[in-house]
Amino acid sequence: MSKGEVVLLDCWMSPFCMRVKIALNEKGVEYEHREEDLFGGKSELLLQSNPIHKKVPVLLHDRKPLSESAIIVGYIDEIWASPPLLPSCAYGRAKARFWADFIDKKLYEAATQIWRTNGEERGAATRDFIETLKQMEEALGDKNYFGGEGDAFGFVDIMAIGVASWFHAYEKFGGFKVADHCPKLSGWLKRCKQRESVSKVLPDPEKVYEFVVMLRKMQGLD
Amino acid sequence: MSKGEVVLLDCWMSPFCMRVKIALNEKGVEYEHREEDLFGGKSELLLQSNPIHKKVPVLLHDRKPLSESAIIVGYIDEIWASPPLLPSCAYGRAKARFWADFIDKKLYEAATQIWRTNGEERGAATRDFIETLKQMEEALGDKNYFGGEGDAFGFVDIMAIGVASWFHAYEKFGGFKVADHCPKLSGWLKRCKQRESVSKVLPDPEKVYEFVVMLRKMQGLD
């Protein structure tokens, strides 16, 4: 399984870093993990490796840097072929990439608005987020996982779990329960958490909530 | 070269539709083109084929719908293998996808702010756009094309040309010339326009400018 040195520039609460760690775990790839201090000063290695965005995650594969989580997970799937994360047919891959894109552009953006706002603006953001979740719920349908290949755990699941790792914080700020609106999605998240590749990556939801409380204070929102 | 029926739901001024048409032309794929009237009412086929975003481009390959231009171009590259648009190695593909993502998230967004704003806000948007162009210029370096494979015309070029097709309008609204700030990028655009796959797709720059003037009036900006 060894195909060179793998180093991840990481941050524990980043939904995007979680994706990369879950993908590496699914593939059974051993990697060195380096926690970045995003507030205390980013490492020289991070700034050099991702000069455009200066953001985690960065995956260094034999010192060659890769950034942007969806791209990194796709790369991991190409280099370490088993188990496959993306479908084997071109149309399936395109559909998986469509939902990954939806998760980043719609779901994540809608989610972020919940904690970045107050009052009526937060109410609107919460309603918007729930509507977006319902679109995900419909895409999931009666399948166990978004897939990947058929019903198997795969690329779209990994993309979605990163965002789902903050659900508890969104629920507390938005005053709602994902399970009340999207029971199938709630079941999907429980199934995902039973996977070792996922459970050993996801942080304590309460710790994420406390991090968001701190972020809001830093940004003068509370 | 025939691999089933190919229909494109299109709109002449859309940078995203241009990408799909250029990719199909590069591959020598024949397709049926259906112009959508985005203001007069979208077709039932468009609404059914892209129920999430309800946007062009949609490519129907044997009636199976695909949306999101970067994803469609990647799909085209997988189905019609020659000439390749994405590099043959996984790391090259990841880098090409990184720049495609940069073009959509940074370059296109910065560009759009130029015509969506007025006064000092437009000045700031123009400066921001030029900085982003300079990052593209640096990525291009002394190569003929962004590639693709090596120095060949490819995926990143196709992503960038869509945005570049509106340069004339951005220049007129922003009061600057791309060539003054980014001579290499300007040379790249000239080279691209010499390709038949590109020249038969790009609309008259003045017609695009007039379209933006109309858009601004519709949105109450003038």
Side-chain angles (χ1 to χ4, degrees):
Chain A
M1 191 55 77
S2 174
K3 292 195 179 181
E5 183 196 56
V6 181
V7 176
L8 176 66
L9 308 187
D10 187 26
C11 198
W12 68 269
M13 91 303 282
S14 158
F16 307 105
C17 292
M18 291 176 210
R19 294 169 171 177
V20 177
K21 289 180 277 190
I22 294 168
L24 290 169
N25 290 343
E26 283 285 327
K27 300 285 188 176
V29 177
E30 287 187 19
Y31 62 96
E32 183 192 331
H33 157 279
R34 297 190 196 168
E35 188 75 13
E36 288 283 334
D37 180 359
L38 300 186
F39 301 112
K42 297 173 183 179
S43 74
E44 268 306 305
L45 185 59
L46 174 59
L47 299 175
Q48 282 167 16
S49 305
N50 190 1
I52 298 289
H53 300 304
K54 303 178 179 66
K55 289 194 300 193
V56 291
V58 165
L59 190 77
L60 293 142
H61 185 202
D62 281 335
R63 302 190 183 177
K64 286 183 307 207
L66 295 128
S67 51
E68 295 299 298
S69 63
I71 295 170
I72 299 174
V73 173
Y75 174 84
I76 290 169
D77 197 36
E78 292 192 25
I79 298 292
W80 293 275
S82 176
L85 299 175
L86 275 156
S88 56
C89 75
Y91 189 71
R93 277 195 293 278
K95 273 181 65 179
R97 290 197 171 108
F98 174 87
W99 284 107
D101 182 74
F102 177 85
I103 288 163
D104 275 350
K105 282 195 199 144
K106 298 285 176 185
L107 190 68
Y108 177 72
E109 288 304 319
T112 303
Q113 285 308 308
I114 296 176
W115 70 259
R116 279 200 177 141
T117 51
N118 281 318
E120 179 41 40
E121 223 184 332
R122 186 188 288 172
T126 303
R127 288 190 293 279
D128 186 32
F129 179 65
I130 292 169
E131 282 314 303
T132 313
L133 279 181
K134 284 182 179 169
Q135 290 181 298
M136 291 295 298
E137 170 110 343
E138 201 181 321
L140 178 64
D142 292 320
K143 299 196 299 284
N144 278 325
Y145 295 110
F146 289 97
E149 188 74 43
D151 202 11
F153 181 87
F155 187 70
V156 181
D157 300 291
I158 291 176
M159 292 296 116
I161 290 169
V163 181
S165 70
W166 284 45
F167 275 3
H168 176 66
Y170 303 141
E171 288 177 331
K172 281 187 93 160
F173 281 107
F176 71 102
K177 287 279 176 196
V178 170
D180 293 344
H181 300 275
C182 299
K184 288 177 183 174
L185 205 59
S186 193
W188 161 84
L189 185 56
K190 277 188 197 129
R191 276 189 295 283
C192 289
K193 283 181 178 170
Q194 282 161 8
R195 300 178 78 87
E196 198 194 339
S197 65
V198 175
S199 65
K200 68 184 188 186
V201 166
L202 292 197
D204 175 357
E206 202 56 36
K207 214 176 136 198
V208 172
Y209 170 73
E210 284 162 17
F211 174 77
V212 179
V213 168
M214 186 200 72
L215 263 188
R216 282 179 51 84
K217 279 189 188 145
M218 282 175 66
Q219 299 190 8
L221 291 162
D222 277 323
Chain B
M1 192 57 75
S2 174
K3 291 194 181 182
E5 183 195 56
V6 181
V7 176
L8 176 66
L9 308 187
D10 187 25
C11 198
W12 68 270
M13 91 302 282
S14 158
F16 307 104
C17 292
M18 291 175 210
R19 295 169 170 177
V20 177
K21 288 180 277 190
I22 294 168
L24 291 169
N25 289 343
E26 283 286 326
K27 301 285 188 176
V29 177
E30 287 188 20
Y31 62 96
E32 184 192 330
H33 156 278
R34 296 190 195 168
E35 188 74 15
E36 288 283 333
D37 180 359
L38 300 186
F39 301 112
K42 297 173 183 179
S43 74
E44 267 307 304
L45 185 58
L46 174 58
L47 299 176
Q48 282 166 18
S49 304
N50 190 1
I52 297 289
H53 301 304
K54 303 178 179 68
K55 288 194 301 192
V56 292
V58 165
L59 190 78
L60 294 142
H61 186 203
D62 281 336
R63 302 191 184 177
K64 287 183 304 206
L66 295 127
S67 50
E68 295 300 297
S69 63
I71 295 169
I72 299 174
V73 173
Y75 174 85
I76 289 170
D77 198 36
E78 292 192 24
I79 297 292
W80 294 276
S82 175
L85 298 176
L86 276 156
S88 55
C89 76
Y91 189 71
R93 278 194 292 278
K95 273 182 65 178
R97 291 198 171 106
F98 174 87
W99 284 107
D101 182 75
F102 176 86
I103 289 163
D104 275 351
K105 282 195 199 144
K106 299 285 177 183
L107 190 68
Y108 177 73
E109 288 304 320
T112 303
Q113 284 308 309
I114 296 176
W115 70 260
R116 278 198 178 144
T117 51
N118 281 318
E120 179 40 41
E121 222 184 333
R122 186 189 287 171
T126 303
R127 288 190 293 277
D128 186 31
F129 178 65
I130 292 170
E131 283 313 302
T132 314
L133 279 182
K134 285 181 180 170
Q135 291 180 297
M136 290 295 297
E137 170 111 341
E138 200 180 322
L140 178 64
D142 293 318
K143 299 197 299 284
N144 279 324
Y145 296 110
F146 288 98
E149 187 73 43
D151 202 13
F153 181 86
F155 186 71
V156 181
D157 301 291
I158 291 176
M159 292 297 116
I161 290 170
V163 180
S165 71
W166 284 45
F167 274 3
H168 175 66
Y170 303 141
E171 287 177 333
K172 280 186 92 159
F173 281 107
F176 71 101
K177 287 279 177 194
V178 170
D180 293 342
H181 300 275
C182 299
K184 288 176 183 174
L185 205 59
S186 193
W188 161 85
L189 185 56
K190 278 190 196 128
R191 276 191 294 283
C192 290
K193 284 180 178 171
Q194 284 162 6
R195 300 178 79 85
E196 200 195 337
S197 66
V198 175
S199 65
K200 68 184 190 187
V201 166
L202 291 198
D204 176 356
E206 202 56 36
K207 215 177 136 198
V208 172
Y209 170 72
E210 284 162 16
F211 174 77
V212 178
V213 168
M214 186 200 72
L215 263 188
R216 283 180 50 87
K217 278 189 188 145
M218 283 175 68
Q219 299 191 7
L221 290 162
D222 277 322

